[in-house]
Amino acid sequence: MREHHLEKEFSFPDFRKALDFTVRLGEVAEAEGHHPDIHLAWGRVGLQIWTHKIDGLTESDFILAAKADKLY
Amino acid sequence: MREHHLEKEFSFPDFRKALDFTVRLGEVAEAEGHHPDIHLAWGRVGLQIWTHKIDGLTESDFILAAKADKLY
């Protein structure tokens, strides 16, 4: 976790499963109206969450992070 | 373009369209058996392509980059 970001990394056995997770995460982000940065690579998905408007963290960030954990 | 990566950035009007592009790009990567790093954020998709095995560029990288351009 950096000063004003939530950062997480999730591991997967291949690219396909990482891509699937990215899609489901993207759907959650759309539903929440709160959009993370997602870094998709072979076997992993990196996630950075923060609130652009204040360049810091709000409740929405923690909700999205918790939903990402649950999805995983 | 860095020394041994191909780098591109694609712009979109919203998160949804950037997510859709990521999915289609992921499908191309799977079909090619060659996987880029994809950085998805609101309204943009960043792409880094290189060949891990040689930590440099091969023909596969340029093919994937051309297919990404075509897709866009």
Side-chain angles (χ1 to χ4, degrees), chain B residues 8-24:
Chain B
K8 290 174 168 277
E9 184 147 320
F10 301 93
S11 295
F12 302 90
D14 55 31
F15 183 84
R16 166 67 64 190
K17 287 198 171 54
L19 178 60
D20 289 347
F21 183 74
T22 298
V23 172
R24 288 184 294 135

Side-chain angles (χ1 to χ4, degrees), chain B residues 6 34 49-51 54 56-66:
Chain B
L6 298 178
H34 196 59
I49 301 174
W50 77 102
T51 298
I54 64 162
L57 294 173
T58 64
E59 192 181 359
S60 299
D61 299 306
F62 294 96
I63 291 171
L64 186 59

